[in-house]
Amino acid sequence: MIATVNPATGKQEKMFDELTDQELEARLDLAARTFERYRRTSFAERSGWMARAGDILEERTDELARMMTLEMGKPIGQARSEIEKCAWVCRHYAEHAEDFLADKVVKTDAKKSFVAYQPLGVVLAIMPWNFPFWQVFRFIAPSIMAGNVGLLKHASNVPQCALAIEKVMHDAGFEKGVFQTLLIGSKKVKKIIEDDRIAAATLTGSEPAGRDVAATAGSKIKPVVLELGGSDPFVVMPSADLDEAVKTAVKARTINSGQSCIAAKRFIVHEAIADEFTKKFVERMKGLKVGDPADESVDVGPLAGEDLMDDLHEQVQKTVDAGAKILTGGKKLDRDGWFYEPTVLSEIPDGSPADEEELFGPVASVFVVKDLEEAIAKANDTTFGLGASAWTTDESETERFVRELAAGLVFINSMVASNPNLPFGGVKRSGLGRELGEHGIHEFVNIKAVWQD
């Protein structure tokens, strides 16, 4: 059984049966058969359906946002913004996919030579609960517009979101086999990836899950895109607009109640402004309203699961036991649901969890550095490499950050965020491959060289 449990109350709301082996087989067969027809549809047809999906998302914003808030605890205002962003990515690829995938003429000795982009087939998407619509639609929009068909194995705590996404696609005009939700447990994923009808896989999730998917796909020589964890640095230099940096730092750490791979997690501050930054940062973190995510005035909702809350608290406690100081927070809230107090840690010892691991919740780690060299070194001193934010008005510092920060995304004087116009993904243990932008739509196509004499 797959259950919806409200993280704000800890109470079970709804139960769903998992697909039987026979039902799963029928969906795989339908996907494979549908691909042979769908790949021959025109960009105009796909564009019309995808644009309509964007319209439907907007029409159902309130309904879908409430569903998201109920299933995984996202503050309601942020949930609405997520649905609006999904509509944006649908329209973006509806408008630009044909240009991104147009034949590219290349001059050679041939009479004619060019590069063609053709769909691969059935792509399995294994998606997380933290952005239950956005993570899926940033796969759907480019991949389906490229002529592939999709199967979704969503996180088991957001089954209603998973089914709602399937309904949006069907209501938009895509035939049933173009996109299907699979209500299954994680134990069945390996066998699906190994199935000859699956051409590729994409996963957003943990590093262990990424390793498993990559190993399985690799054993069958199938392409994958992996978007894994992050421990993003947020570097603040003396020339920065300090008040703006502090305000953005709080948002960057607590968006989605701190449960985001690209949330700023390590705040690396120059010693000349460290005291002032930390004081203002702690004050703003203390002032956040924690509570029912359905309440419009709430800033931070619950964590998505009791295990997530317990794991986060254990990481905080181990860091404090190693010698770190708690400047605010550091405890679970005594109430129904899975709430953790917004927390700021300082004087963090090397090798402690806050120094080496990803903390997935509203816990910020402050590190003080003496100069630019140390700031870059500390930012890069991690196994992760997803996003990085740096705050400075010094052009030479900006150039150093842009060129030397080891991350897939570098944002100067702004919070790291995904955008349909730009490629999204990381380096090191934050994953491989790219989503979004022109690069993202090229991940699941056959980039075919053509020579004609």
Side-chain angles (χ1 to χ4, degrees), residues 79-379:
R80 281 196 293 269
S81 294
E82 181 170 333
I83 299 301
E84 291 163 2
K85 194 170 184 178
C86 293
W88 177 21
V89 78
C90 287
R91 290 172 180 146
H92 176 78
Y93 281 102
E95 180 180 353
H96 297 292
E98 185 171 9
D99 289 338
F100 291 158
L101 298 173
D103 292 348
K104 300 293 193 298
V105 175
V106 180
K107 286 189 175 182
T108 66
D109 294 335
K111 288 181 180 178
K112 182 179 181 181
S113 52
F114 61 96
V115 178
Y117 302 95
Q118 298 178 323
L120 292 181
V122 183
V123 183
L124 174 66
I126 305 141
M127 292 292 149
W129 48 265
N130 58 335
F131 291 88
F133 282 83
W134 171 243
Q135 305 278 17
V136 179
F137 272 97
R138 76 184 191 195
F139 155 73
I140 284 175
S143 189
I144 301 301
M145 281 302 301
N148 298 300
V149 303
L151 293 171
L152 171 64
K153 190 286 179 218
H154 217 327
S156 293
N157 60 333
V158 288
Q160 292 182 87
C161 293
L163 293 169
I165 292 168
E166 182 181 72
K167 182 169 172 52
V168 167
M169 295 297 287
H170 295 169
D171 290 351
F174 291 99
E175 67 169 295
K176 186 177 180 181
V178 172
F179 182 84
Q180 301 177 82
T181 282
L182 309 177
L183 290 185
I184 57 173
S186 58
K187 292 181 179 179
K188 293 187 177 181
V189 168
K190 184 176 187 293
K191 186 175 180 181
I192 295 173
I193 295 173
E194 291 174 337
D195 192 293
D196 289 340
R197 290 166 292 189
I198 301 298
T202 179
L203 173 136
T204 298
S206 69
E207 185 181 332
R211 283 197 300 266
D212 289 345
V213 167
T216 303
S219 72
K220 296 295 182 178
I221 321 298
K222 295 180 181 181
V224 294
V225 170
L226 304 175
E227 196 268 279
L228 308 178
S231 187
D232 286 9
F234 188 105
V235 184
V236 187
M237 300 299 287
S239 66
D241 180 332
L242 196 60
D243 288 336
E244 187 64 26
V246 169
K247 182 176 74 172
T248 305
V250 172
K251 180 180 179 181
R253 176 59 286 209
T254 60
I255 192 167
N256 199 32
S257 306
Q259 301 168 117
S260 171
C261 295
I262 56 168
K265 299 182 176 82
R266 296 178 299 129
F267 296 84
I268 299 165
V269 189
H270 191 284
E271 62 183 11
I273 54 168
D275 289 346
E276 186 178 3
F277 174 89
T278 303
K279 179 182 178 182
K280 291 182 175 182
F281 184 52
V282 170
E283 286 174 355
R284 279 186 172 267
M285 290 286 280
K286 283 182 177 179
L288 295 172
K289 182 176 180 180
V290 182
D292 182 355
D295 181 342
E296 297 281 355
S297 66
V298 161
D299 300 303
V300 178
L303 300 188
E306 187 173 14
D307 58 333
L308 298 168
M309 179 181 67
D310 291 341
D311 289 347
L312 179 67
H313 186 59
E314 182 179 358
Q315 288 174 304
V316 170
Q317 287 300 115
K318 285 183 177 179
T319 301
V320 172
D321 290 345
K325 289 187 177 179
I326 296 176
L327 302 183
T328 187
K331 57 183 180 291
K332 307 172 190 178
L333 295 184
D334 186 17
R335 55 176 294 168
D336 289 340
W338 304 312
F339 294 86
Y340 201 82
E341 191 173 12
T343 299
V344 180
L345 303 175
S346 69
E347 299 182 31
I348 297 159
D350 292 346
S352 63
D355 180 56
E356 292 190 336
E357 300 173 10
E358 179 178 25
L359 272 59
F360 217 61
V363 178
S365 304
V366 177
F367 300 86
V368 179
V369 293
K370 67 179 184 298
D371 56 24
L372 176 64
E373 300 293 338
E374 189 177 346
I376 293 173
K378 186 62 185 177

